Amino acid sequence: FFRSLNMQIAVIDGQGGGIGSALIAKIRSEFGNELDILALGTNALATAAMLKAGANQGATGENAIRVNAPKVAVIFGSLSIVISDALLGELTGVMANAIIESQAHKILLQPNRYNIHLAGCESQPLPYHIAAAIEQFKQLLGALKHV
């Protein structure tokens, strides 16, 4: 099914790439090698960590995110990836705008910093939010199957 959709997804992260790596590992455990995963890091360390976790390809920096965000079907990351100057300043306004303006479906995890509180969302550990993101992705895939 995934190959018939010719679906490429992106996982975007910064700093040490921990959230992105955890997302990629969970995606691989749920879907195997059926998805083409592009790791987009705000820095080389994040990109390398996501490649090690199982991404097919990786690219780093503002231009990589600006160029690739419009080309993928789904973008995964924390809510921070659409907030200018997030991730201790690594996420530029150009990056945030490229992500939010992309036609890709965005599956974003609740941040646990930046004093952002999402009404109706429980404060839970990262594995809980990653599992919820995978379930949201499965629902999206089901909807795409019927299009």
Side-chain angles (χ1 to χ4, degrees):
F1 168 67
F2 306 116
R3 292 204 192 277
S4 66
L5 286 177
N6 196 23
M7 180 179 290
Q8 184 179 47
I9 65 171
V11 177
I12 302 176
D13 200 7
Q15 298 180 305
I19 292 173
S21 295
L23 273 165
I24 290 169
K26 185 66 173 173
I27 292 166
R28 285 289 180 229
S29 75
E30 292 281 330
F31 300 100
N33 291 320
E34 291 297 312
L35 294 170
D36 184 17
I37 303 173
L38 173 61
L40 296 173
T42 61
N43 63 64
L45 183 63
T47 305
M50 291 188 286
L51 283 166
K52 187 175 181 181
N56 298 88
Q57 304 174 71
T60 302
E62 182 177 87
N63 198 55
I65 291 171
R66 183 187 63 76
V67 169
N68 288 290
K71 295 179 180 179
V72 297
V74 179
I75 296 173
F76 284 89
S78 88
L79 180 64
S80 304
I81 68 172
V82 296
I83 300 171
S84 181
D85 299 326
L87 302 175
L88 299 177
E90 290 182 23
L91 207 295
T92 68
V94 171
M95 292 173 178
N97 285 336
I99 295 163
I100 205 68
E101 290 175 1
S102 169
Q103 294 299 307
H105 296 273
K106 293 146 197 87
I107 300 177
L108 305 175
L109 283 65
Q110 178 181 351
N112 55 4
R113 51 170 59 177
Y114 308 114
N115 290 323
I116 297 172
H117 305 278
L118 302 174
C121 295
E122 297 179 44
S123 180
Q124 295 286 340
L126 181 61
Y128 172 87
H129 290 293
I130 289 174
I134 297 302
E135 286 307 310
Q136 185 70 39
F137 183 57
K138 287 177 180 178
Q139 290 175 15
L140 174 63
L141 289 174
L144 290 175
K145 236 183 196 182
H146 295 95
V147 172

